[in-house]
Amino acid sequence: MSDLRDLYQEVIFDHNRHPRNFGPFPAANRHADGFNALCGDKLSLNLLVEDGVIREARFEGSGCAISTASASLMTEALKGRTEAEAAQLFDGFYHMVKGEPTAIDLGKLAVLAGVSEFPARVKCATLAWHTLNAALRRIEQPVSTE
Ligand code: ZN
């Protein structure tokens, strides 16, 4: 089990140091900003959604390792998913970081399961997902995890 934990930590470090899908995305047609006051994590999410499918997802911002890795992993997981599938992933991810069981297959997102042992970091891990939710629902106000 501790080997698995090491592997998970390695993936998180890697995504923090080399975030995937990081940078501006002028072609986006959905956008939302999120802020986690507890930790100071800020993130700006841009999506290209066509016919209900998320074709592209990119983010910008600055935050702790958990929030950056979570956003990076999320944008990877979203590409090619329908909005309904993205909502399911959000639901499954939220249960996982709360330490609750979920039937949703989270794939690589499972590396963040350890966050459930650190309640203060749950907001860091879910910031990107709350921001996604706002982008898909076209909520203009910046999202706060408060
Ligand atoms: Zn954070």
Side-chain angles (χ1 to χ4, degrees):
M1 194 65 197
S2 75
D3 285 352
L4 186 64
R5 179 165 294 217
D6 288 349
L7 174 71
Y8 279 11
Q9 289 209 337
E10 244 172 67
V11 175
I12 292 168
F13 284 140
D14 177 50
H15 275 264
N16 175 47
R17 224 173 300 179
H18 309 285
R20 318 300 198 269
N21 309 305
F22 188 86
F25 185 35
N29 59 7
R30 304 286 179 91
H31 171 87
D33 294 311
F35 179 55
N36 173 20
L38 198 69
C39 180
D41 309 315
K42 270 187 210 163
L43 113 95
S44 185
L45 181 68
N46 283 302
L47 306 174
L48 179 64
V49 181
E50 286 173 337
D51 302 324
V53 177
I54 300 168
R55 300 286 179 202
E56 185 66 53
R58 289 191 214 165
F59 75 104
E60 293 179 273
S62 60
C64 67
I66 297 291
S67 73
T68 303
S70 181
S72 174
L73 285 156
M74 182 190 80
T75 52
E76 272 198 329
L78 288 178
K79 289 190 205 182
R81 303 256 189 187
T82 64
E83 291 187 60
E85 286 168 345
Q88 265 197 332
L89 271 185
F90 177 26
D91 191 59
F93 185 83
Y94 198 75
H95 283 294
M96 178 185 78
V97 296
K98 290 275 200 182
E100 298 162 4
T102 173
I104 309 287
D105 177 10
L106 291 166
K108 218 172 168 189
L109 298 170
V111 299
L112 286 160
V115 167
S116 65
E117 288 168 43
F118 307 95
R121 310 315 296 274
V122 168
K123 286 182 177 178
C124 302
T126 54
L127 175 64
W129 292 88
H130 286 298
T131 309
L132 167 71
N133 199 30
L136 291 178
R137 291 181 183 199
R138 300 172 186 277
I139 295 169
E140 304 281 325
Q141 299 291 331
V143 185
S144 167
T145 51
E146 292 313 297

